[in-house]
Amino acid sequence: MKLSIYIICNKIKEKDRFQSIETQLEKIKNKNSFEINFYSYLWGDELNDNHYNHYCKTDNSMKYHGRKKNVKPLTKGELSLSLNNIECLKKIKQTYKEGYFLILESDFLFNSDFEENIIMLCDYLKNNNVNFDVINIGTGFRKEMIHELKKNEPLTINEKLKLYEERRNCCTEGILWNYNSITKFLSYFNKFEDINGPWDTILDELHRFVDFPWKIIMLDPPIVDQGSIKGLFKSKIH
């Protein structure tokens, strides 16, 4: 079964990131293992007050991270990132009936062993029927957030890779979903269409607002880095 990868990137407005992505994709050896898709919905410079009025209804999620909507509202970059991810999930739900789906942000950087390890991860999930909703495979700000990560008893994929259930993400440059979790998330979002925090915060705090289990898992070590954090790209979120 091919892994469907969706890359959120505007090829025109993010030329430097697109070139980086193209270079990385060319290095993939077993291209038959992946189905690569680019996705672009709405960018920050295309947003207006109507989008804010429609989508930014509350600060229900961000308040748990010490942020208030009337003091520090979502930036255009934050709102755009959430909208692109949500619309991408809708696209996946309309296109498929099952499977695993990796959503990458445009500033992702594959680690040297990405291809081997993502295949191992997906095989392990399928063969062991692992229950999860989202798996964060990115480095993000893990070092800065180490005191907030639980590191419970892990699921061991092999001597290198482990899966830890966590209560929150650390950025979202690489998130693995399954079809069922996409359906669950959209069933919640479509009721209110409330983007009540940055994208990672929405996923972190979703468990507070739903009547179904929501399991966040972190892959350790990560197999994707974020180019913006490394200073290779200018961040468009803040």
Side-chain angles (χ1 to χ4, degrees):
M1 181 179 69
K2 289 186 177 182
L3 172 64
S4 296
I5 299 178
Y6 277 78
I7 302 170
I8 296 177
C9 178
N10 188 308
K11 299 178 183 179
I12 304 301
K13 297 181 179 181
E14 298 186 298
K15 291 183 179 180
D16 56 340
R17 298 184 181 208
F18 177 62
Q19 289 174 355
S20 169
I21 294 167
E22 290 267 272
T23 300
Q24 294 183 78
L25 294 181
E26 288 175 3
K27 295 179 181 179
I28 291 180
K29 298 175 182 178
N30 189 5
K31 292 181 171 58
N32 290 331
S33 296
F34 306 99
E35 179 184 76
I36 309 294
N37 306 274
F38 282 87
Y39 188 80
S40 174
Y41 177 66
L42 197 65
W43 243 241
D45 59 0
E46 302 170 82
L47 295 173
N48 55 46
D49 289 344
N50 290 333
H51 295 108
Y52 274 90
N53 292 335
H54 179 78
Y55 289 108
C56 300
K57 297 180 176 72
T58 73
D59 53 8
N60 286 346
S61 289
M62 70 169 77
K63 69 182 181 182
Y64 288 102
H65 290 221
R67 182 172 171 182
K68 295 182 178 180
K69 176 171 170 280
N70 61 343
V71 176
K72 189 179 179 182
L74 291 180
T75 66
K76 287 186 175 182
E78 289 173 324
L79 179 54
S80 171
L81 180 61
S82 293
L83 281 170
N84 276 285
N85 271 280
I86 291 166
E87 293 299 323
C88 185
L89 294 177
K90 291 180 181 179
K91 173 69 174 178
I92 292 170
K93 186 175 185 297
Q94 293 169 356
T95 306
Y96 303 89
K97 296 297 182 184
E98 60 180 7
Y100 300 135
F101 306 91
L102 177 61
I103 298 183
L104 298 169
E105 295 177 2
S106 58
D107 60 347
F108 76 86
L109 299 171
F110 288 148
N111 288 358
S112 59
D113 52 1
F114 166 82
E115 185 175 353
E116 174 188 359
N117 286 334
I118 194 67
I119 292 173
M120 283 186 185
L121 170 60
C122 291
D123 286 346
Y124 178 85
L125 295 173
K126 182 178 180 181
N127 294 337
N128 293 277
N129 196 26
V130 176
N131 177 29
F132 76 96
D133 288 298
V134 292
I135 298 179
N136 192 314
I137 67 168
T139 302
F141 287 111
R142 290 195 193 193
K143 290 183 179 179
E144 291 80 357
M145 293 171 54
I146 192 67
H147 63 287
E148 299 183 56
L149 302 179
K150 294 186 301 184
K151 281 289 182 78
N152 288 333
E153 187 67 27
L155 294 174
T156 301
I157 299 174
N158 55 36
E159 60 183 15
K160 294 181 180 180
L161 293 175
K162 294 178 172 58
L163 295 170
Y164 291 90
E165 186 174 351
E166 287 293 349
R167 69 179 187 86
R168 62 177 300 181
N169 289 279
C170 53
C171 300
T172 54
E173 65 266 33
I175 300 290
L176 184 69
W177 297 72
N178 61 65
Y179 187 82
N180 184 51
S181 64
I182 291 173
T183 300
K184 286 163 63 175
F185 175 82
L186 291 176
S187 70
Y188 155 77
F189 178 78
N190 290 336
K191 290 180 182 178
F192 308 106
E193 293 194 332
D194 183 17
I195 297 178
N196 51 27
W199 181 233
D200 53 353
T201 303
I202 292 173
L203 298 182
D204 291 348
E205 305 304 331
L206 184 66
H207 65 95
R208 300 180 186 274
F209 311 112
V210 296
D211 58 2
F212 50 75
W214 184 252
K215 183 176 287 191
I216 298 172
I217 291 179
M218 198 166 285
L219 179 67
D220 187 56
I223 56 176
V224 171
D225 284 325
Q226 186 178 140
S228 297
I229 292 177
K230 288 181 169 291
L232 300 179
F233 306 109
K234 183 179 179 180
S235 176
K236 299 181 180 181
I237 297 297
H238 303 293

